[in-house]
């Protein structure tokens, strides 16, 4: 890397942020395209978000990823927020567009592209999403635009009422809301085509856990677990054993990063380079820390 007076600065803000895979992925992508740019991690607790974004303006930082707990907190300090991010109340990408700070959410787009690039079909299909946090909402909102039927199951189903109503009104998709009780999951999976686990169940250190019993899985199902720590969760292992198509959480992470890269640079992201960087980083990392919904 040749740093110079012309190097463009990008980064990720969040707290904690030291474990983020984004610096490895984005720096590899900049290097592959020969861009004089660098990507750093900045530890920014939510109370310091305002200062961080003033710094972005003052220093001319070109772009930021935003991870927990700053995804909501950045919104009042931006000049513009795209429709999806505004609806979700969550921004994971900021572009400094000639001094104007514009916010985007690439989590849903990342999940969408991860599924499509890995051979899943969504049009006219039935999708089941487990979870009701930020990641689950982003996935559900984006994929609802394409599938025919959507079932949202959360431990606390009340959290999904507003989302379900908005999706029904906006996209005319048939939406059912329920709990993550074994009965409801089993019933929903009977005629499902795609299952996305967007809960933290199965994440390190509780790697033996899964909300889905192996016997509910079948070869016609596509299963994406957005947990990437471990890279192959219990759910992913069970799905593979059942002959289902399995899409790893790392894929979603790579494609949300690729979408951010494309927003910042206007160039197609070198996805393979970003995948290698993310996987190398994961291999070298001691297990621990969180693994979902991260930028
Ligand atoms: P993120 O913003 O990354 O999606 P989050 O907001 O912490 O992360 O969401 C984690 C999700 O996992 C939530 O939907 C949570 O359920 P609740 O909304 O009821 O809290 C879900 N989750 C965590 N542990 C769970 C468990 N044991 N069974 C079912 N769902 C669980």
């Amino acid at each position: 890397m040749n740093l110079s007076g012309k190097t463009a600065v990008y980064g990720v803000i969040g707290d904690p942020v030291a474990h983020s895979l984004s610096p490895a992925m984005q720096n590899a992508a900049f290097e592959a395209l020969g861009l004089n740019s660098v990507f750093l991690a900045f530890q920014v607790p939510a109370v310091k978000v305002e200062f961080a974004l003033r710094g972005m303006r003052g220093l001319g930082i070109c772009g930021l990823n935003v991870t927990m707990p700053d995804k909501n907190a950045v919104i009042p300090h931006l000049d513009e927020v795209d429709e999806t991010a505004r609806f979700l109340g969550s921004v994971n990408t900021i572009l400094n567009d000639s001094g104007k700070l514009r916010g985007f959410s690439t989590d849903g787009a990342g999940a969408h592209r991860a599924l499509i690039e890995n051979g899943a079909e969504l049009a006219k299909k039935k999708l089941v999403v487990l979870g009701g946090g930020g990641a689950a909402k982003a996935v559900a909102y984006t994929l609802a635009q394409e599938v025919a039927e959507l079932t949202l199951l959360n431990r606390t189903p009340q959290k999904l009422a507003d989302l379900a109503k908005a999706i029904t009104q906006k996209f005319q998709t048939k939406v059912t809301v329920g709990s993550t009780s074994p009965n409801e999951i089993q019933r929903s999976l009977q005629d499902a085509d795609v299952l996305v686990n967007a809960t933290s169940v199965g994440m390190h250190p509780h790697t033996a856990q899964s909300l889905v019993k192996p016997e509910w899985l079948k070869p016609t199902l596509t299963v994406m677990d957005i947990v990437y720590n471990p890279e192959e969760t219990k759910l992913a292992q069970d799905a593979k054993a059942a002959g289902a198509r399995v899409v790893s959480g790392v894929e979603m992470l790579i494609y949300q990063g690729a979408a951010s890269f494309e927003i910042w640079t206007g160039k197609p992201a070198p996805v393979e380079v970003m995948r290698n960087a993310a996987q190398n980083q994961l291999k070298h990392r001691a297990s621990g820390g969180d693994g979902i919904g991260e930028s």
Side-chain angles (χ1 to χ4, degrees):
M1 196 185 296
N2 282 320
L3 300 179
S4 71
K6 292 182 186 163
T7 303
V9 178
Y10 294 82
V12 52
I13 60 169
D15 185 21
V17 80
H19 61 286
S20 172
L21 295 174
S22 297
M25 282 197 297
Q26 302 293 352
N27 284 318
F30 289 144
E31 199 180 329
L33 268 67
L35 300 173
N36 186 1
S37 304
V38 68
F39 190 102
L40 305 166
F42 301 104
Q43 188 180 356
V44 179
V47 291
K48 291 202 176 157
V49 155
E50 183 180 353
F51 305 120
L53 294 195
R54 284 192 198 195
M56 183 183 193
R57 290 179 197 275
L59 299 171
I61 290 174
C62 301
L64 289 175
N65 270 146
V66 184
T67 187
M68 296 310 288
D70 300 338
K71 288 181 163 194
N72 312 108
V74 294
I75 292 178
H77 309 292
L78 301 176
D79 301 309
E80 220 177 271
V81 177
D82 90 332
E83 201 206 324
T84 304
R86 183 164 296 286
F87 174 81
L88 297 168
S90 171
V91 160
N92 81 333
T93 303
I94 303 172
L95 168 69
N96 187 343
D97 190 357
S98 308
K100 189 195 258 188
L101 301 192
R102 297 170 58 196
F104 304 85
S105 171
T106 68
D107 288 332
H112 182 259
R113 204 169 153 201
L115 284 164
I116 298 295
E117 300 275 349
N118 283 282
E121 281 178 37
L122 294 169
K124 304 201 183 85
K125 299 294 185 189
K126 178 178 169 184
L127 166 70
V128 177
V129 178
L130 306 179
K137 285 183 178 164
V139 168
Y141 184 77
T142 303
L143 301 186
Q145 302 175 39
E146 202 163 326
V147 298
E149 218 183 314
L150 172 63
T151 301
L152 302 172
L153 303 178
N154 196 32
R155 183 170 57 182
T156 330
Q158 306 87 281
K159 282 191 191 171
L160 296 168
D162 290 349
L163 177 69
K165 202 169 143 197
I167 288 174
T168 312
Q169 283 172 355
K170 259 186 126 133
F171 312 124
Q172 283 82 46
T173 312
K174 186 180 169 210
V175 185
T176 313
V177 171
S179 78
T180 48
S181 71
N183 277 347
E184 291 207 51
I185 297 178
Q186 181 180 18
R187 191 160 10 100
S188 308
L189 287 180
Q190 273 163 7
D191 57 347
D193 304 292
V194 182
L195 167 68
V196 177
N197 174 48
T199 73
S200 49
V201 177
M203 193 191 294
H204 178 87
H206 307 292
T207 53
Q209 294 181 0
S210 167
L211 291 173
V212 182
K213 293 232 166 75
E215 57 269 29
W216 304 340
L217 299 163
K218 56 193 178 195
T220 53
L221 196 65
T222 295
V223 178
M224 181 163 83
D225 195 333
I226 75 163
V227 173
Y228 63 82
N229 177 19
E231 202 174 332
E232 193 172 68
T233 59
K234 167 84 165 62
L235 171 61
Q237 284 169 15
D238 293 342
K240 209 189 237 178
R245 185 195 304 279
V246 179
V247 182
S248 128
V250 183
E251 289 291 293
M252 173 167 160
L253 186 78
I254 291 162
Y255 283 109
Q256 64 80 26
S260 299
F261 182 91
E262 289 172 2
I263 287 170
W264 294 326
T265 65
K267 298 178 197 298
V271 172
E272 203 45 47
V273 167
M274 296 176 86
R275 179 177 289 113
N276 285 338
Q279 276 169 347
N280 283 339
Q281 192 75 8
L282 283 171
K283 265 186 223 138
H284 287 105
R285 178 195 288 182
S287 54
D290 72 16
I292 65 167
E294 189 228 339
S295 289

